[in-house]
Amino acid sequence: MNSPETADGALPPKRLIPLFAGLMLAMLLASLNNTVLSSAMPTIIGELNGVEHLSWVITAFILASTVTMPVYGNLSDLFGRRPMLIAAIVVFLGGSVLGALAQDMPMLIAARGIQGLGGGGLMILTQAAIADVVPARERGKYMGIMGGVFAFASVAGPLLGGWFTEGPGWRWAFWMNVPIGLLALAAAVFLLRLPKRRTEGRVDVLGMMLLAVATTSIVLLATWGGQQFEWMSVESAVLAVVGIVAAVCFVVVESKAEQPVMPLALFLDRNFLLTTAAALAIGVAMFGALGYMPMYLQMVTGAGPTVSGLLMIPMMGVLLVTSTLSGAIVSRTGRYKMLPVVGTGIVAGALVFISLVTVDTPMWVICAALAVLGSGLGLSMQILTLIVQNSFPIRMVGTATAATNYFRQVGATLGSAIVGSLFAQRLVEEFTKLAPGNGASLSGGGHFTPGAVSALPEPMHTLVLGAINHALVPIFVYLVPLIVIAFVALLFVVEKPLATAIEREIPAEALAEGQLMITDPALDEDAVGANFEAVPADGTRTHSRHGR
């Protein structure tokens, strides 16, 4: 039996509030597990003896979640949000239990991969499920809170990981997911009740496989290039060729698939194309900064991972506030275009300012610059998802949401890889100036740790800090042209009116049997099709829209 709805097709508050809380728990699970192990990795490596597999602990989660995002979006549009969200939570919990019980690095890596298979669904389905129960006009404030949850998790993840490692043990970074996941599962089972969907056509299995191959090649090339092997190497060439061939085949398959996992028609929509390009650019900039600023702060201040994580709180705190406020503004006014435009402008300015930071810059100034960056991101991220959702009927919201988040995640991976590769290259050059012939060994060896840098005698300590500064912070200005492109793209977004009601799709069985109750007066006839009125076998009409 479906949940009762209000006149606009939304759930009443007494059902919506606990459901939203459950969805936030699901998003918190996925967001926390992006970062929770970062501060625990040295301890995990020491216990499980697998330093050569270190990168895979992070890569396995990122790769699996990125690959599955479009899959969950597409399948949830076909079979409903509820069964797919339940499946994602169960898979994620299974990976968490396996990780908590891991006895070696291969087992831990497998657990992280399984977590990623569920995590990709958690990130997408929570956003798509809100679109099923809240009209676009009111959805802004909920999407803003979702952005706040992500910001909170970005800071809380490393802090929790450090606290567990120093306290009850790193395995609790996995065990903590169980009670949170069970609460999220209960919300999905008992509160997320929506009309059943029609499933027509074959599931696009071939498209999903090709997308997985292309994504895997891109992520591995971005993650390993310049680290595990040189950019100009056979390995890089193979990954690039495989990725390009798979991408071309994917486009061909999608043009012919009955139910494409990423319909090419999405890219014919102006707002989708512009906002997705902007989301990719913002992902590059955001994760380029998030990936390396904590390390920079450790080096400059000599602080440990926990303290450096605390120094990121101004950025994430302001991101949380501006994300929530921007969502509330959209819900109140119905206007949204200028928020991400202003946000990207602020991001560009913040990156320029950060690129001018030196080792002598007061810490409060650096934290203020990061806070400004957070304000720009808060005005941009979740509003872009709302614009995409408002551009498509409810039957395509999952696919569209997944597609734009997929490209943002790819941008995040590329951002971390680009900044990391440039930083490593520039660091070797800077250290070579200090110790001719030994630059590579200094930057890549065991001497390059926050503790070792802090222990260096003067004047070498000051010289090394200067080298690190010159190697990293100027890179952030290289990201500004990407943000400028995003800024220009968003200027051409068409500010379509936000829907004030949820357009439900009428099940074929109801049309055939004449058993139809429409609770949404704003149903879109185009979304329903020609057979809009339910006509019983005797030819009498049991319902007509707007009294027709």
Side-chain angles (χ1 to χ4, degrees):
M1 183 175 177
N2 295 332
S3 298
E5 297 177 348
T6 59
D8 60 4
L11 288 182
K14 66 179 181 179
R15 299 297 301 271
L16 177 59
I17 293 174
L19 170 60
F20 183 66
L23 293 176
M24 290 305 91
L25 289 175
M27 173 168 272
L28 183 64
L29 280 176
S31 301
L32 279 176
N33 280 270
N34 269 319
T35 58
V36 72
L37 293 185
S38 58
S39 53
M41 286 310 300
T43 302
I44 294 174
I45 292 170
E47 184 174 326
L48 300 183
N49 299 316
V51 67
E52 69 276 10
H53 302 303
L54 169 63
S55 64
W56 268 109
V57 177
I58 305 299
T59 302
F61 184 89
I62 294 174
L63 180 58
S65 60
T66 304
V67 167
T68 54
M69 280 182 179
V71 175
Y72 276 110
N74 178 251
L75 293 182
S76 71
D77 280 343
L78 294 177
F79 303 111
R81 232 67 81 191
R82 183 166 172 258
M84 298 312 301
L85 182 58
I86 291 172
I89 295 172
V90 170
V91 170
F92 185 88
L93 288 177
S96 298
V97 172
L98 184 63
L101 300 175
Q103 299 301 308
D104 52 38
M105 287 295 279
M107 186 175 177
L108 180 66
I109 292 168
R112 289 287 286 169
I114 294 172
Q115 276 190 312
L117 292 176
L122 297 181
M123 292 296 293
I124 295 304
L125 298 175
T126 50
Q127 298 178 68
I130 286 298
D132 286 331
V133 296
V134 179
R137 176 63 185 266
E138 297 299 319
R139 201 180 306 151
K141 55 190 175 185
Y142 296 96
M143 300 295 286
I145 295 173
M146 287 181 170
V149 169
F150 172 80
F152 168 78
S154 297
V155 172
L159 294 179
L160 274 175
W163 184 79
F164 282 133
T165 302
E166 296 171 359
W170 62 266
R171 295 179 187 276
W172 281 93
F174 291 96
W175 285 126
M176 73 167 181
N177 295 327
V178 175
I180 299 175
L182 290 177
L183 287 174
L185 184 62
V189 171
F190 297 110
L191 299 177
L192 187 60
R193 295 182 177 276
L194 301 166
K196 292 184 178 180
R197 297 176 182 272
R198 295 180 296 183
T199 57
E200 300 174 356
R202 298 179 181 178
V203 174
D204 185 17
V205 176
L206 180 56
M208 294 176 183
M209 293 174 62
L210 288 170
L211 183 63
V213 172
T215 305
T216 299
S217 301
I218 293 170
V219 171
L220 292 184
L221 180 60
T223 304
W224 289 348
Q227 303 292 331
Q228 303 293 325
F229 45 76
E230 297 295 327
W231 286 108
M232 302 302 293
S233 65
V234 174
E235 293 89 344
S236 293
V238 169
L239 286 174
V241 170
V242 170
I244 292 172
V245 171
V248 171
C249 293
F250 174 74
V251 171
V252 174
V253 169
E254 294 305 276
S255 66
K256 301 177 180 179
E258 295 180 49
Q259 293 289 349
V261 65
M262 192 179 293
L264 301 184
L266 291 176
F267 300 93
L268 299 178
D269 183 272
R270 177 175 178 172
N271 281 1
F272 174 84
L273 193 61
L274 294 173
T275 54
T276 298
L280 191 151
I282 292 171
V284 171
M286 179 179 180
F287 284 89
L290 285 179
Y292 291 91
M293 279 308 294
M295 181 276 297
Y296 175 79
L297 294 174
Q298 286 184 56
M299 293 293 181
V300 172
T301 65
T306 302
V307 175
S308 68
L310 291 172
L311 292 173
M312 297 295 289
I313 286 180
M315 174 181 172
M316 292 307 171
V318 174
L319 195 159
L320 187 155
V321 172
T322 54
S323 178
T324 303
L325 286 178
S326 63
I329 291 171
V330 171
S331 292
R332 183 175 181 178
T333 66
R335 306 300 297 270
Y336 54 83
K337 176 177 176 177
M338 292 310 299
L339 289 171
V341 170
V342 172
T344 50
I346 293 174
V347 169
L351 289 174
V352 171
F353 187 84
I354 293 172
S355 71
L356 301 176
V357 165
T358 69
V359 293
D360 298 320
T361 302
M363 190 52 58
W364 71 267
V365 175
I366 298 177
C367 289
L370 291 173
V372 173
L373 178 63
S375 69
L377 294 171
L379 290 172
S380 307
M381 291 197 307
Q382 293 302 112
I383 302 300
L384 296 181
T385 301
L386 176 62
I387 294 173
V388 167
Q389 291 182 344
N390 191 55
S391 300
F392 298 96
I394 197 70
R395 66 181 182 274
M396 292 183 65
V397 160
T399 298
T401 302
T404 193
N405 276 272
Y406 166 82
F407 286 105
R408 178 183 294 169
Q409 185 76 1
V410 170
T413 304
L414 292 175
S416 297
I418 291 169
V419 173
S421 178
L422 287 173
F423 176 50
Q425 177 184 341
R426 290 167 59 89
L427 195 61
V428 171
E429 295 173 357
E430 292 293 331
F431 280 175
T432 299
K433 297 176 185 177
L434 297 178
N438 294 314
S441 61
L442 281 174
S443 62
H447 300 291
F448 187 58
T449 63
V453 170
S454 297
L456 289 173
E458 292 294 352
M460 182 56 72
H461 176 257
T462 300
L463 292 173
V464 168
L465 286 184
I468 294 170
N469 182 273
H470 294 155
L472 179 62
V473 295
I475 295 175
F476 293 117
V477 81
Y478 300 164
L479 301 175
V480 171
L482 276 177
I483 302 302
V484 171
I485 291 173
F487 177 86
V488 173
L490 292 174
L491 289 175
F492 292 93
V493 165
V494 178
E495 192 173 41
K496 303 175 183 177
L498 293 171
T500 56
I502 300 173
E503 300 172 353
R504 301 288 184 211
E505 190 171 340
I506 300 177
E509 315 88 68
L511 288 171
E513 298 173 8
Q515 299 172 353
L516 178 62
M517 179 181 294
I518 296 182
T519 60
D520 180 3
L523 260 169
D524 182 357
E525 296 185 25
D526 293 334
V528 174
N531 297 321
F532 184 67
E533 297 176 336
V535 182
D538 60 4
T540 61
R541 299 179 186 273
T542 60
H543 177 85
S544 63
R545 186 173 182 259
H546 299 318
R548 269 182 316 190

